[in-house]
Amino acid sequence: MRVLVTGGAGFIGSHVVEALAARGHEPVVFDVREDAESDVRDPEAVARALSGMDAVCHQAAMVGLGSGFTDAAEYVSRNDLGTAVLLTAMADAGVRHLVLAGSMVVYGEGRYLCARHGVVRPGPRAVTDLAAGRFEPRCPVCAEELSPGLVGEDAPADPRNVYATTKLAQEHLAAAWARATGGSAVSLRYHNVYGPRMPRDTPYAGVASFFRSALARGEAPRVYEDGRQRRDFVHVRDVAAANAAALEADSAPGALTAYNTGSGEPHTVGEMARALAAAYGGPEPVVTGEYRLGDVRHITADSSRLRTGLGWKPEVGFAEGMREFARARLRGE
């Protein structure tokens, strides 16, 4: 299968290219990093790149929480306009198979259980609570403590920042394209991806990159809030394997299917920082109590649909992955 991999020179995209090639496919990289004309927002460039392709693996995106709302237009341009241009060109070229790099950020907060009211969805955390160090969401009905759990693909979307909003819009665009063309679309909702070639600390990098970059400078990783916020850290090679499995699957025509793509093993951010620091050889993390508006408290995945539907399972365990990542080269180093 000839597969156009947008963003194929990036962190996740480069691993997807390797995974596809190892399984006998012919990946073709389309990435502005390698060619200034390979901008997914350029209809002519995209149309040329789609010639002879059987499928598209769409990894190109502006990622991360960014810098508040000041870069909203750039997020929308790169993520949503770019996706619309790509899908239009796919419709014209007769390419009917899409795998989209989705994100768990579309859910907002994760799944919570109240002892009195069952499953509830707390709203965004108040600045006054965050400033006072009250980080845990409370039941929106009785204000009692909640127990976090695993979020499934059928949970309602509730994006809490600009990036999250653009990722949800990408899914809606892909679903509309699938209905209009009879194509098949899969969105792999990545959880916290880490591993070799991760970009260095920028406003758009993930927390694992921030911690790893600090250690490389001889500085202690700075852990926000109290370090007890839960995430699902999934290795980039496992994510690449999920992309290959999705491309090879017989997906339903005329619709978009979403799959959570996580390790299935929740860990706190503090745990991750300590494991990474220990593997690197110090220094120990510092819990700062600082916070970022737009961050959610707990978001961890139920990835059973991906396991049963596509026969995928993660291969890299948390401890093994952190040991490797502690010595891995970051992009930009």
Side-chain angles (χ1 to χ4, degrees):
M1 186 188 310
R2 294 195 78 214
V3 182
L4 185 69
V5 183
T6 69
F11 166 44
I12 298 174
S14 64
H15 286 275
V16 170
V17 167
E18 290 177 359
L20 292 175
R23 294 167 78 137
H25 300 292
E26 184 182 346
V28 177
V29 173
F30 184 87
D31 196 304
V32 73
R33 293 177 182 85
E34 295 202 336
D35 179 357
E37 295 182 0
S38 295
D39 190 323
V40 76
R41 295 169 292 183
D42 182 340
E44 293 183 0
V46 174
R48 289 193 299 270
L50 283 171
S51 178
M53 295 297 157
D54 302 303
V56 172
C57 189
H58 186 28
Q59 305 293 317
M62 186 175 179
V63 301
L65 190 56
S67 304
F69 207 81
T70 58
D71 42 19
E74 189 70 8
Y75 270 110
V76 171
S77 176
R78 291 182 180 274
N79 296 354
D80 298 336
L81 175 60
T83 298
V85 169
L86 173 66
L87 293 172
T88 300
M90 289 175 66
D92 292 341
V95 180
R96 296 291 183 262
H97 194 15
L98 171 73
V99 174
L100 171 68
S103 176
M104 56 81 181
V105 295
V106 301
Y107 298 118
E109 286 285 355
R111 186 177 188 271
Y112 290 89
L113 185 67
C114 173
R116 292 175 58 191
H117 297 101
V119 176
V120 295
R121 290 187 61 79
R125 295 178 293 172
V127 173
T128 52
D129 286 336
L130 294 171
R134 295 188 294 267
F135 302 120
E136 292 290 343
R138 295 279 179 156
C139 176
V141 181
C142 66
E144 292 298 317
E145 293 183 1
L146 299 173
S147 299
L150 300 181
V151 63
E153 291 89 349
D154 295 330
D158 185 16
R160 300 285 175 91
N161 54 57
V162 172
Y163 171 62
T165 302
T166 65
K167 296 306 289 183
L168 182 60
Q170 283 185 313
E171 289 194 358
H172 288 318
L173 287 165
W177 166 84
R179 286 192 297 271
T181 65
S184 64
V186 169
S187 177
L188 297 176
R189 291 175 175 171
Y190 301 160
H191 281 247
N192 288 69
V193 186
Y194 73 96
R197 298 176 220 151
M198 197 171 189
R200 289 182 60 187
D201 51 342
T202 75
Y204 310 97
V207 66
S209 172
F210 289 135
F211 293 166
R212 172 64 177 74
S213 297
L215 290 166
R217 296 191 301 268
E219 300 172 3
R222 294 176 60 81
V223 181
Y224 280 12
E225 301 187 15
D226 58 4
R228 296 175 184 167
Q229 55 271 50
R230 288 158 45 107
R231 298 291 187 269
D232 186 319
F233 299 100
V234 58
H235 196 277
V236 67
R237 287 196 298 274
D238 287 331
V239 169
N243 275 271
L247 284 163
E248 293 168 353
D250 292 327
S251 301
L256 178 137
T257 304
Y259 294 100
N260 285 334
T261 307
S263 70
E265 298 181 5
H267 291 274
T268 68
V269 172
E271 282 182 90
M272 189 270 284
R274 290 189 294 272
L276 192 57
Y280 194 85
E284 285 291 308
V286 174
V287 177
T288 69
E290 298 173 271
Y291 61 89
R292 297 192 304 177
L293 287 177
D295 273 349
V296 297
R297 179 61 174 175
H298 303 297
I299 176 69
T300 52
D302 177 356
S303 297
S304 57
R305 178 186 289 182
L306 181 60
R307 291 170 183 251
T308 58
L310 300 184
W312 170 90
K313 64 175 183 175
E315 301 290 345
V316 183
F318 178 76
E320 173 193 353
M322 288 299 154
R323 285 193 298 269
E324 178 197 28
F325 185 50
R327 296 300 174 185
R329 186 173 181 83
L330 300 184
R331 186 178 298 274
E333 284 186 333

